[in-house]
Amino acid sequence: EDLVHRGYDCYLWRAPPCFTLYGTMFSLIIISLERIIATVQYKTYEQSPKWLGFLLGFVEILIPLACTGVATYYYDFEVRFLYCSIVSQSNFSIFV
């Protein structure tokens, strides 16, 4: 029984790395998007409004948060796990 983890404990342990992983992947997309905008508007990009930077920063946080939220929605908190993972269906679960 001591080796079996509750679903909620596994979620608390695995959700921050999941958020970080999504953040790392999508930050490359946001940086690429910013560089595309800078290339297309190379003459006026330095005078672009400040809200563009804030918008890109907000989107860079919002996308990983939404992806982690979707994983949270489908996560089974009631199942006990031998190994903690963010995806419930791929774990070896014990119904106690």
Side-chain angles (χ1 to χ4, degrees):
E1 183 70 28
D2 291 340
L3 299 176
V4 179
H5 304 284
R6 294 182 311 149
Y8 184 74
D9 294 336
C10 285
Y11 175 78
L12 290 177
W13 187 53
R14 297 302 301 159
C18 181
F19 178 80
T20 304
L21 179 67
Y22 287 131
T24 302
M25 291 186 308
F26 286 107
S27 69
L28 296 174
I29 294 171
I30 297 297
I31 290 171
S32 298
L33 180 64
E34 187 270 335
R35 291 288 79 208
I36 289 170
I37 293 170
T39 301
V40 170
Q41 298 180 346
Y42 69 94
K43 291 182 181 178
T44 61
Y45 181 70
E46 293 297 325
Q47 289 79 32
S48 63
K50 289 182 181 180
W51 61 263
L52 180 62
F54 289 118
L55 178 68
L56 290 173
F58 179 72
V59 169
E60 190 168 347
I61 293 171
L62 185 66
I63 291 174
L65 192 61
C67 291
T68 305
V70 169
T72 301
Y73 180 76
Y74 290 107
Y75 196 81
D76 190 1
F77 290 96
E78 302 300 320
V79 176
R80 294 181 173 267
F81 299 108
L82 293 176
Y83 177 76
C84 289
S85 177
I86 197 65
V87 181
S88 298
Q89 290 82 4
S90 67
N91 288 333
F92 300 104
S93 58
I94 297 176
F95 300 98
V96 178

